[in-house]
PDB file of all heavy atoms in Angstrom:
ATOM      1  N   ARG A 233      91.267 110.051  92.778  1.00 74.00           N
ATOM      2  CA  ARG A 233      91.815 108.895  92.062  1.00 74.00           C
ATOM      3  C   ARG A 233      90.751 108.237  91.202  1.00 74.00           C
ATOM      4  O   ARG A 233      90.994 107.848  90.073  1.00 74.00           O
ATOM      5  CB  ARG A 233      92.376 107.875  93.056  1.00 74.00           C
ATOM      6  CG  ARG A 233      93.709 108.232  93.614  1.00 74.00           C
ATOM      7  CD  ARG A 233      94.286 107.078  94.442  1.00 74.00           C
ATOM      8  NE  ARG A 233      95.223 107.613  95.384  1.00 74.00           N
ATOM      9  CZ  ARG A 233      94.995 107.825  96.677  1.00 74.00           C
ATOM     10  NH1 ARG A 233      93.834 107.501  97.199  1.00 74.00           N
ATOM     11  NH2 ARG A 233      95.918 108.332  97.441  1.00 74.00           N
ATOM     12  N   ARG A 234      89.542 108.091  91.751  1.00 82.00           N
ATOM     13  CA  ARG A 234      88.451 107.452  90.997  1.00 82.00           C
ATOM     14  C   ARG A 234      88.052 108.296  89.778  1.00 82.00           C
ATOM     15  O   ARG A 234      87.751 107.756  88.717  1.00 82.00           O
ATOM     16  CB  ARG A 234      87.244 107.216  91.901  1.00 82.00           C
ATOM     17  CG  ARG A 234      87.502 106.157  92.961  1.00 82.00           C
ATOM     18  CD  ARG A 234      86.247 105.807  93.725  1.00 82.00           C
ATOM     19  NE  ARG A 234      86.509 105.235  95.016  1.00 82.00           N
ATOM     20  CZ  ARG A 234      86.939 104.015  95.254  1.00 82.00           C
ATOM     21  NH1 ARG A 234      87.191 103.216  94.247  1.00 82.00           N
ATOM     22  NH2 ARG A 234      87.134 103.584  96.475  1.00 82.00           N
ATOM     23  N   LEU A 235      88.044 109.614  89.942  1.00 83.00           N
ATOM     24  CA  LEU A 235      87.709 110.486  88.818  1.00 83.00           C
ATOM     25  C   LEU A 235      88.779 110.431  87.731  1.00 83.00           C
ATOM     26  O   LEU A 235      88.461 110.411  86.539  1.00 83.00           O
ATOM     27  CB  LEU A 235      87.499 111.924  89.303  1.00 83.00           C
ATOM     28  CG  LEU A 235      86.241 112.156  90.136  1.00 83.00           C
ATOM     29  CD1 LEU A 235      86.227 113.577  90.707  1.00 83.00           C
ATOM     30  CD2 LEU A 235      84.986 111.887  89.329  1.00 83.00           C
ATOM     31  N   VAL A 236      90.046 110.401  88.132  1.00 80.00           N
ATOM     32  CA  VAL A 236      91.127 110.269  87.146  1.00 80.00           C
ATOM     33  C   VAL A 236      91.017 108.920  86.449  1.00 80.00           C
ATOM     34  O   VAL A 236      91.185 108.815  85.242  1.00 80.00           O
ATOM     35  CB  VAL A 236      92.512 110.465  87.817  1.00 80.00           C
ATOM     36  CG1 VAL A 236      93.634 110.043  86.889  1.00 80.00           C
ATOM     37  CG2 VAL A 236      92.680 111.909  88.245  1.00 80.00           C
ATOM     38  N   HIS A 237      90.704 107.878  87.218  1.00 80.00           N
ATOM     39  CA  HIS A 237      90.500 106.540  86.655  1.00 80.00           C
ATOM     40  C   HIS A 237      89.423 106.594  85.575  1.00 80.00           C
ATOM     41  O   HIS A 237      89.606 106.093  84.463  1.00 80.00           O
ATOM     42  CB  HIS A 237      90.058 105.593  87.782  1.00 80.00           C
ATOM     43  CG  HIS A 237      90.663 104.244  87.748  1.00 80.00           C
ATOM     44  ND1 HIS A 237      90.264 103.277  86.861  1.00 80.00           N
ATOM     45  CD2 HIS A 237      91.618 103.685  88.510  1.00 80.00           C
ATOM     46  CE1 HIS A 237      90.948 102.167  87.087  1.00 80.00           C
ATOM     47  NE2 HIS A 237      91.790 102.397  88.081  1.00 80.00           N
ATOM     48  N   ALA A 238      88.305 107.223  85.908  1.00 90.00           N
ATOM     49  CA  ALA A 238      87.181 107.299  84.976  1.00 90.00           C
ATOM     50  C   ALA A 238      87.515 108.136  83.739  1.00 90.00           C
ATOM     51  O   ALA A 238      86.949 107.913  82.671  1.00 90.00           O
ATOM     52  CB  ALA A 238      85.950 107.865  85.687  1.00 90.00           C
ATOM     53  N   SER A 239      88.446 109.065  83.880  1.00 89.00           N
ATOM     54  CA  SER A 239      88.781 109.926  82.741  1.00 89.00           C
ATOM     55  C   SER A 239      89.385 109.143  81.582  1.00 89.00           C
ATOM     56  O   SER A 239      89.344 109.595  80.438  1.00 89.00           O
ATOM     57  CB  SER A 239      89.736 111.043  83.176  1.00 89.00           C
ATOM     58  OG  SER A 239      91.021 110.535  83.452  1.00 89.00           O
ATOM     59  N   GLY A 240      89.899 107.958  81.851  1.00 92.00           N
ATOM     60  CA  GLY A 240      90.431 107.113  80.785  1.00 92.00           C
ATOM     61  C   GLY A 240      89.374 106.709  79.771  1.00 92.00           C
ATOM     62  O   GLY A 240      89.691 106.362  78.632  1.00 92.00           O
ATOM     63  N   SER A 241      88.110 106.782  80.166  1.00 96.00           N
ATOM     64  CA  SER A 241      87.038 106.475  79.208  1.00 96.00           C
ATOM     65  C   SER A 241      87.009 107.513  78.082  1.00 96.00           C
ATOM     66  O   SER A 241      86.444 107.262  77.022  1.00 96.00           O
ATOM     67  CB  SER A 241      85.683 106.396  79.915  1.00 96.00           C
ATOM     68  OG  SER A 241      85.406 107.604  80.579  1.00 96.00           O
ATOM     69  N   GLY A 242      87.653 108.646  78.307  1.00 96.00           N
ATOM     70  CA  GLY A 242      87.769 109.646  77.253  1.00 96.00           C
ATOM     71  C   GLY A 242      88.541 109.143  76.046  1.00 96.00           C
ATOM     72  O   GLY A 242      88.294 109.573  74.915  1.00 96.00           O
ATOM     73  N   LEU A 243      89.473 108.223  76.260  1.00 97.00           N
ATOM     74  CA  LEU A 243      90.203 107.627  75.136  1.00 97.00           C
ATOM     75  C   LEU A 243      89.269 106.815  74.250  1.00 97.00           C
ATOM     76  O   LEU A 243      89.342 106.875  73.029  1.00 97.00           O
ATOM     77  CB  LEU A 243      91.353 106.762  75.648  1.00 97.00           C
ATOM     78  CG  LEU A 243      92.493 107.521  76.318  1.00 97.00           C
ATOM     79  CD1 LEU A 243      93.402 106.565  77.081  1.00 97.00           C
ATOM     80  CD2 LEU A 243      93.272 108.311  75.277  1.00 97.00           C
ATOM     81  N   VAL A 244      88.374 106.063  74.889  1.00 97.00           N
ATOM     82  CA  VAL A 244      87.383 105.295  74.127  1.00 97.00           C
ATOM     83  C   VAL A 244      86.451 106.255  73.392  1.00 97.00           C
ATOM     84  O   VAL A 244      86.162 106.069  72.208  1.00 97.00           O
ATOM     85  CB  VAL A 244      86.585 104.349  75.057  1.00 97.00           C
ATOM     86  CG1 VAL A 244      85.468 103.652  74.287  1.00 97.00           C
ATOM     87  CG2 VAL A 244      87.511 103.336  75.707  1.00 97.00           C
ATOM     88  N   ALA A 245      86.007 107.295  74.091  1.00 97.00           N
ATOM     89  CA  ALA A 245      85.121 108.282  73.464  1.00 97.00           C
ATOM     90  C   ALA A 245      85.812 108.957  72.283  1.00 97.00           C
ATOM     91  O   ALA A 245      85.186 109.181  71.243  1.00 97.00           O
ATOM     92  CB  ALA A 245      84.682 109.320  74.496  1.00 97.00           C
ATOM     93  N   LEU A 246      87.088 109.276  72.426  1.00 97.00           N
ATOM     94  CA  LEU A 246      87.854 109.884  71.333  1.00 97.00           C
ATOM     95  C   LEU A 246      87.830 108.985  70.096  1.00 97.00           C
ATOM     96  O   LEU A 246      87.539 109.437  68.999  1.00 97.00           O
ATOM     97  CB  LEU A 246      89.293 110.139  71.768  1.00 97.00           C
ATOM     98  CG  LEU A 246      90.261 110.558  70.651  1.00 97.00           C
ATOM     99  CD1 LEU A 246      89.918 111.954  70.150  1.00 97.00           C
ATOM    100  CD2 LEU A 246      91.703 110.494  71.141  1.00 97.00           C
ATOM    101  N   TYR A 247      88.119 107.700  70.300  1.00 98.00           N
ATOM    102  CA  TYR A 247      88.141 106.786  69.155  1.00 98.00           C
ATOM    103  C   TYR A 247      86.750 106.670  68.521  1.00 98.00           C
ATOM    104  O   TYR A 247      86.608 106.759  67.298  1.00 98.00           O
ATOM    105  CB  TYR A 247      88.646 105.394  69.561  1.00 98.00           C
ATOM    106  CG  TYR A 247      88.527 104.437  68.409  1.00 98.00           C
ATOM    107  CD1 TYR A 247      89.434 104.486  67.348  1.00 98.00           C
ATOM    108  CD2 TYR A 247      87.465 103.537  68.325  1.00 98.00           C
ATOM    109  CE1 TYR A 247      89.299 103.656  66.250  1.00 98.00           C
ATOM    110  CE2 TYR A 247      87.328 102.699  67.230  1.00 98.00           C
ATOM    111  CZ  TYR A 247      88.246 102.758  66.198  1.00 98.00           C
ATOM    112  OH  TYR A 247      88.104 101.942  65.103  1.00 98.00           O
ATOM    113  N   LEU A 248      85.729 106.475  69.342  1.00 97.00           N
ATOM    114  CA  LEU A 248      84.374 106.304  68.807  1.00 97.00           C
ATOM    115  C   LEU A 248      83.896 107.558  68.080  1.00 97.00           C
ATOM    116  O   LEU A 248      83.292 107.466  67.009  1.00 97.00           O
ATOM    117  CB  LEU A 248      83.405 105.928  69.931  1.00 97.00           C
ATOM    118  CG  LEU A 248      83.614 104.545  70.550  1.00 97.00           C
ATOM    119  CD1 LEU A 248      82.704 104.367  71.755  1.00 97.00           C
ATOM    120  CD2 LEU A 248      83.389 103.445  69.526  1.00 97.00           C
ATOM    121  N   LEU A 249      84.160 108.720  68.647  1.00 97.00           N
ATOM    122  CA  LEU A 249      83.739 109.969  68.019  1.00 97.00           C
ATOM    123  C   LEU A 249      84.488 110.193  66.707  1.00 97.00           C
ATOM    124  O   LEU A 249      83.879 110.511  65.682  1.00 97.00           O
ATOM    125  CB  LEU A 249      83.979 111.142  68.976  1.00 97.00           C
ATOM    126  CG  LEU A 249      83.509 112.503  68.497  1.00 97.00           C
ATOM    127  CD1 LEU A 249      81.992 112.515  68.279  1.00 97.00           C
ATOM    128  CD2 LEU A 249      83.897 113.584  69.496  1.00 97.00           C
ATOM    129  N   ALA A 250      85.800 110.021  66.733  1.00 96.00           N
ATOM    130  CA  ALA A 250      86.595 110.211  65.515  1.00 96.00           C
ATOM    131  C   ALA A 250      86.185 109.214  64.441  1.00 96.00           C
ATOM    132  O   ALA A 250      86.125 109.551  63.251  1.00 96.00           O
ATOM    133  CB  ALA A 250      88.081 110.067  65.830  1.00 96.00           C
ATOM    134  N   ASN A 251      85.869 107.992  64.858  1.00 92.00           N
ATOM    135  CA  ASN A 251      85.455 106.968  63.913  1.00 92.00           C
ATOM    136  C   ASN A 251      84.093 107.306  63.318  1.00 92.00           C
ATOM    137  O   ASN A 251      83.890 107.199  62.101  1.00 92.00           O
ATOM    138  CB  ASN A 251      85.440 105.601  64.603  1.00 92.00           C
ATOM    139  CG  ASN A 251      85.339 104.460  63.632  1.00 92.00           C
ATOM    140  OD1 ASN A 251      85.915 104.479  62.564  1.00 92.00           O
ATOM    141  ND2 ASN A 251      84.599 103.436  64.027  1.00 92.00           N
ATOM    142  N   SER A 252      83.162 107.737  64.156  1.00 93.00           N
ATOM    143  CA  SER A 252      81.819 108.036  63.647  1.00 93.00           C
ATOM    144  C   SER A 252      81.821 109.290  62.751  1.00 93.00           C
ATOM    145  O   SER A 252      80.994 109.411  61.862  1.00 93.00           O
ATOM    146  CB  SER A 252      80.826 108.202  64.791  1.00 93.00           C
ATOM    147  OG  SER A 252      81.099 109.370  65.519  1.00 93.00           O
ATOM    148  N   LEU A 253      82.741 110.216  62.998  1.00 95.00           N
ATOM    149  CA  LEU A 253      82.834 111.425  62.165  1.00 95.00           C
ATOM    150  C   LEU A 253      83.802 111.245  61.007  1.00 95.00           C
ATOM    151  O   LEU A 253      84.060 112.195  60.267  1.00 95.00           O
ATOM    152  CB  LEU A 253      83.266 112.619  63.023  1.00 95.00           C
ATOM    153  CG  LEU A 253      82.296 113.040  64.124  1.00 95.00           C
ATOM    154  CD1 LEU A 253      82.898 114.149  64.967  1.00 95.00           C
ATOM    155  CD2 LEU A 253      80.964 113.464  63.525  1.00 95.00           C
ATOM    156  N   ASP A 254      84.340 110.041  60.881  1.00 93.00           N
ATOM    157  CA  ASP A 254      85.270 109.710  59.803  1.00 93.00           C
ATOM    158  C   ASP A 254      86.440 110.703  59.731  1.00 93.00           C
ATOM    159  O   ASP A 254      86.738 111.278  58.691  1.00 93.00           O
ATOM    160  CB  ASP A 254      84.527 109.649  58.463  1.00 93.00           C
ATOM    161  CG  ASP A 254      85.302 108.850  57.414  1.00 93.00           C
ATOM    162  OD1 ASP A 254      86.126 107.997  57.815  1.00 93.00           O
ATOM    163  OD2 ASP A 254      85.088 109.102  56.217  1.00 93.00           O
ATOM    164  N   LEU A 255      87.101 110.874  60.889  1.00 94.00           N
ATOM    165  CA  LEU A 255      88.212 111.816  60.990  1.00 94.00           C
ATOM    166  C   LEU A 255      89.577 111.172  60.768  1.00 94.00           C
ATOM    167  O   LEU A 255      90.601 111.797  61.007  1.00 94.00           O
ATOM    168  CB  LEU A 255      88.179 112.510  62.354  1.00 94.00           C
ATOM    169  CG  LEU A 255      86.940 113.359  62.632  1.00 94.00           C
ATOM    170  CD1 LEU A 255      86.997 113.953  64.029  1.00 94.00           C
ATOM    171  CD2 LEU A 255      86.802 114.462  61.591  1.00 94.00           C
TER     172      LEU A 255
END
Side-chain angles (χ1 to χ4, degrees):
R233 282 188 204 101
R234 291 188 202 286
L235 290 173
V236 168
H237 221 284
S239 71
S241 58
L243 292 166
V244 175
L246 170 69
Y247 174 76
L248 292 173
L249 184 62
N251 193 38
S252 69
L253 296 175
D254 200 24
L255 298 178

